[in-house]
Amino acid sequence: KNQVEQSPQSLIILEGKNCTLQCNYTVSPFSNLRWYKQDTGRGPVSLTIMTFSENTKSNGRYTATLDADTKQSSLHITASQLSDSASYICVAWSGGSYIPTFGRGTSLIVHP
Amino acid sequence: GAVVSQHPSWVICKSGTSVKIECRSLDFQATTMFWYRQFPKQSLMLMATSNEGSKATYEQGVEKDKFLINHASLTLSTLTVTSAHPEDSSFYICSAEVAGVSGGYNEQFFGPGTRLTVL
């Protein structure tokens, strides 16, 4: 069964600090992995997309890593801002059915 | 570009009534649209895949007679929750697929969601 596990479930940090969110996935066959940001009451917005051959990808202050051997990914947020407060969702796409498997998300709260 | 809208953004209805939710791709055509449901503090769960001009493909456990999906054009898909009950209260999100925009991979652009509350 395809699964995506994220940790921590929630995280509170001070503005300006860095943080790293984790994602473990079990998806076969694996196609690609994406990180999304979902503001409360809104739809997800794509941050990064990585295939098995890519180790790291950046999008502004967001840097995602992928280890296809251990099936782990991380999302690092640098110099956090209040607007970073949101749920961050890790999604793994399978190559066969092309159906996404969503993680439950990490709820990030950035305090001033 | 690649904006997806949903209407309404929220709806409150009485138990037993039907509710229609619209999903539109505003500046592009989408052959495929997806409907998701999200309960509080839970991940998005794919309900069905909607292809223009054909019947939707429902995920296991989703009642096709309860959640009617119509994809009449390349820019519009509708989800009708028939005979809604309180347990159908949820956040419904649609997405529209665009081919080959992210390193050759299809990208899904999500709508802002519709909050359904059934009394």
Side-chain angles (χ1 to χ4, degrees):
Chain A
K1 179 182 178 182
N2 292 338
Q3 285 186 322
V4 174
E5 300 288 340
Q6 291 188 242
S7 63
Q9 185 175 0
S10 61
L11 182 62
I12 301 174
I13 62 174
L14 293 175
E15 185 179 11
K17 298 296 185 182
N18 304 334
C19 66
T20 300
L21 315 179
Q22 302 291 341
C23 172
N24 295 337
Y25 64 92
T26 305
V27 170
S28 181
F30 175 74
S31 173
N32 61 88
L33 185 138
R34 311 179 190 200
W35 284 92
Y36 288 86
K37 178 185 179 186
Q38 184 179 21
D39 293 311
T40 301
R42 308 292 293 178
V45 174
S46 179
L47 295 177
T48 62
I49 172 174
M50 290 184 293
T51 66
F52 67 90
S53 61
E54 297 176 292
N55 298 121
T56 184
K57 182 164 284 187
S58 292
N59 178 1
R61 295 180 296 102
Y62 302 103
T63 299
T65 65
L66 177 65
D67 186 331
D69 292 330
T70 62
K71 295 182 172 56
Q72 295 179 326
S73 177
S74 67
L75 180 69
H76 186 76
I77 303 175
T78 305
S80 61
Q81 300 176 357
L82 298 180
S83 59
D84 292 332
S85 296
S87 179
Y88 291 84
I89 305 173
C90 174
V91 185
W93 252 261
S94 67
S97 60
Y98 204 67
I99 296 296
T101 301
F102 287 77
R104 289 190 174 189
T106 292
S107 175
L108 174 65
I109 298 175
V110 180
H111 277 313
Chain B
V3 177
V4 176
S5 70
Q6 282 185 239
H7 179 80
S9 56
W10 60 270
V11 57
I12 301 173
C13 69
K14 292 182 179 180
S15 183
T17 60
S18 295
V19 175
K20 179 184 285 187
I21 303 171
E22 292 186 348
C23 176
R24 293 180 184 272
S25 55
L26 297 185
D27 49 3
F28 64 100
Q29 293 181 330
T31 306
T32 304
M33 290 186 173
F34 302 85
W35 285 97
Y36 297 86
R37 181 167 51 181
Q38 185 178 32
F39 293 105
K41 299 188 184 299
Q42 300 292 316
S43 63
L44 277 73
M45 296 295 295
L46 179 65
M47 298 175 66
T49 303
S50 168
N51 290 293
E52 185 266 338
S54 63
K55 291 183 178 180
T57 302
Y58 290 82
E59 294 301 300
Q60 191 173 7
V62 178
E63 300 174 58
K64 62 180 181 181
D65 294 330
K66 181 171 183 61
F67 299 98
L68 302 179
I69 292 173
N70 182 276
H71 195 157
S73 75
L74 290 173
T75 60
L76 173 65
S77 176
T78 60
L79 168 69
T80 301
V81 183
T82 63
S83 187
H85 288 95
E87 57 265 31
D88 298 323
S89 298
S90 186
F91 192 52
Y92 292 86
I93 303 175
C94 73
S95 71
E97 187 174 69
V98 179
V101 294
S102 300
Y105 287 88
N106 295 355
E107 180 66 87
Q108 286 191 27
F109 295 94
F110 290 85
T114 296
R115 174 75 58 192
L116 171 63
T117 302
V118 184
L119 302 178

